[in-house]
Amino acid sequence: MKMSYAQAIRSGFQYLLQKYPNVFVMGQGLWSPWYVGNSMNDLEVEFGKDRVMDTPVSEAACTGAGVGASLCGYRPIVVHPRMDFMVLAMDQIVNQAAKWSHMLGGESHPAVTVRGVINRGGEQGAQHSQALHAWFAHIPGLRVVMPATVKDARDLLISATLCDDPVVYIDDRWLYELEDDLPEIEEKKLSNQVPEILRSGKDVTLAGAGHSVQLCLEASQDLSEAGVECEVVDLRILNPLNVSPVVTSANKTGSLCVVDGGWETCGMAGEVIASVAEQMEPGSRNIRFKRITLANAPAPSSKVLEDIYYPTREKIVDAIRNWKN
Amino acid sequence: MVKASELGILADPSKFTEPLELGGRPKDVLISLLEMMLVIRKVEECIADLILEKKVNCPCHLAIGQEAVAVGVSDNLTAEDKIFGGHRSHSHFLALGGSVSGLLAEVLGRSTGCSGGMGGSMHLFQPEKGFVGSAPIVGGTVPVAVGAGLACQKDGKGNIAVCYFGDGTVEEGMVQESFNFASRFKLPVLFVCENNFYSSHLDIHLRQPSDRISRFAEANHISSQIVDGNDVVKTALATRELVESIRGGNGPGFLEAVTYRWRGHVGPDENIDVGLRRKKEDLLAWKKRDPIRRLKDGMLQANMITNSDYCSVEDSVEQKINDSLEESLAAPFPEESFLLSAVYKSEKDLS
């Protein structure tokens, strides 16, 4: 059945709410048709306003309430319609959710899922455009998932919600129109999920997560026409980070370019490259590394500047072409 | 410049020093309240000594002098309720029947501690007694307790969530959010503010325009009571009224218990003049409002107990603590593998 990325998210919510009475969803704007694209349309009509709760403008209280309810047998999904707003809930995510298992002796597990939506472009500017996945990937105790495909948009939401650990699920509005055929839902344990090779190639390894993966796939098409075959690795899970498939691929191609919609300094791209560099087999050939990230500036509102700010298919193609020449 | 107290005589340590009125509570209940306050005081005195002996190294925030609050509140709770604490929560933990050896082993960093030796004094855990957890970020557990209240509401079994915090906590934004959130959804949450007039070193008058914390409850349409938090009988009674209403589905309640800590913000000493306005004479005056001595005197006056009864309760408490301490000192530290295996649940399952 053909489904869009946004519809796939909704179908994940629908599956969870239908099958698991202890799942509920809360966040700002959940009863509004425009807050989270069409990724949650009418869920409150289908499942009731007790299970799909629109909340006061209180990111910390709402996220903390998800943590607390998860300690008492529930599987809450807390939704932040802009990832930027999660910054107001950092204590609850970083100091509380991520820490309770370890600091209380391994017996307390906040099984909360926090969904943050990356919603860039459209001249929204610096406080409505951030992709802060690297922050959460830095924190032991959190799991961080970043679906790049229609299937993962649905399936990683389900795996995240059924996981006993706190999970940050990050989706991207730029992917909402992406379409694909989806198989029946099969519940999968999040801790068993690994990166996936979405395209095979012998010349260059492209790695990313979320929307960056789609850019890599698009660039790979252009590069293929120019005779450069790229292997595209979708990282899927940023915490705990598993780079083994990237190591294998980079060993094969000899070139690794990591594309990230976040910033460069202390960012995801640098982390992947460093991990690959460390884990290369001794005596293996020298690998060339490159990262394509955001310019080191807050997101501009100006359309003119937005156009040069974000990684694009063309930037990836140019970088690889220059590399190869 | 010292502003006038909105709490009035409740903030005046020369008041409320007489023997307690017993409120018609039966003798066995009063003896158990007395015994529990003694357990808390003597465990914390034991911990203070262990710090001085350098056997305990983690930061310990002692609640000596504040025993009546946790004991009076817990008089109205069950093990099915969901209770949360902060950095100063030994009393909250013990008042629920939390394990003395579990607490002592925990502050000693031993694997038999209530948090497996992973938490120390500020991270306590004994869910089978209702104590879901304590954590020291000021205000951090308030939203979490609100979520536990949401879970209790969804369960529909009449259980409630309880969150203990101090007067400094209401200065945090997420706490104000939590009051509004709990009120908006009529959640079964009891907010318990132990107003001891200090946040760390700083006097409340240097932090807030009023010393009456329950004004925030009123602003959020949460029913509240202010009590002498050094009167275990009145604290229990005020809690009972709030808890009955909360269990009845009428939304959250707020207890402001006025009290005073005898020791400093952290560690065993008294912090005289470390804090602005924290004078020796204030401390001495507050020690005359001793919650334990007042209950004891009330019971003596009512001929419920004799001095020798009191001494035998005290002796048995001390014996229990000594036994627990001996056991805890002999216990091992956490396994090294625990450093990584406790981070994620499924990782732990693999190990």
Side-chain angles (χ1 to χ4, degrees), chain B residues 122-284:
Chain B
M122 300 193 291
H123 317 97
L124 306 176
F125 178 68
Q126 198 168 350
E128 68 275 16
K129 295 286 184 186
F131 198 80
V132 186
S134 63
I137 296 283
V138 175
T141 52
V142 181
V144 180
V146 165
L150 179 57
C152 290
Q153 185 184 62
K154 287 177 180 291
D155 288 342
K157 294 176 186 164
N159 299 322
I160 67 169
V162 178
C163 193
Y164 288 101
F165 51 86
D167 46 289
T169 299
V170 297
E171 293 156 28
E172 297 284 3
M174 64 184 149
V175 174
Q176 299 295 332
E177 290 184 13
S178 298
F179 295 157
N180 179 66
F181 196 98
S183 184
R184 151 69 182 88
F185 293 108
K186 290 184 81 172
L187 300 181
V189 182
L190 174 65
F191 298 104
V192 180
C193 178
E194 292 172 297
N195 184 353
N196 65 16
F197 305 107
Y198 285 89
S199 179
S200 175
H201 60 292
L202 206 58
D203 187 283
I204 192 166
H205 294 283
L206 298 167
R207 298 180 284 114
Q208 297 184 30
S210 162
D211 62 359
R212 197 176 59 86
I213 302 299
S214 51
R215 68 192 190 276
F216 295 109
E218 289 147 23
N220 287 288
H221 297 199
I222 297 172
S223 56
S224 64
Q225 298 229 18
I226 306 178
V227 288
D228 169 11
N230 287 15
D231 180 334
V232 70
V233 173
K234 286 210 170 66
T235 300
L237 182 64
T239 307
R240 187 202 294 170
E241 288 172 12
L242 289 167
V243 165
E244 275 172 7
S245 165
I246 298 167
R247 290 197 203 278
N250 300 308
F254 191 106
L255 180 72
E256 177 173 2
V258 180
T259 186
Y260 201 85
R261 61 170 150 76
W262 292 8
R263 303 293 177 110
H265 166 63
V266 60
D269 67 58
E270 293 183 334
N271 269 190
I272 298 303
D273 288 333
V274 172
L276 296 156
R277 256 190 20 116
R278 190 175 159 95
K279 302 277 181 255
K280 183 96 184 165
E281 52 268 34
D282 284 347
L283 178 59
L284 290 174

Side-chain angles (χ1 to χ4, degrees), chain B residues 5-75:
Chain B
S5 170
E6 264 193 67
L7 287 172
I9 56 169
L10 278 174
D12 177 354
S14 69
K15 305 291 194 294
F16 305 108
T17 56
E18 61 282 8
L20 283 197
E21 290 170 22
L22 303 178
R25 299 297 300 269
K27 177 181 164 182
D28 58 328
V29 170
L30 291 168
I31 286 183
S32 70
L33 297 177
L34 183 67
E35 184 180 358
M36 188 54 84
M37 287 198 289
L38 277 166
V39 167
I40 295 167
R41 173 143 323 160
K42 289 181 181 295
V43 165
E44 292 216 297
E45 285 173 346
C46 171
I47 292 171
D49 291 343
L50 290 167
I51 298 167
L52 294 170
E53 292 164 25
K54 300 198 186 304
K55 288 181 179 152
V56 163
N57 301 305
C58 64
C60 292
H61 304 78
L62 304 175
I64 295 170
Q66 303 185 177
E67 297 87 351
V69 184
V71 174
V73 169
S74 299
D75 186 44

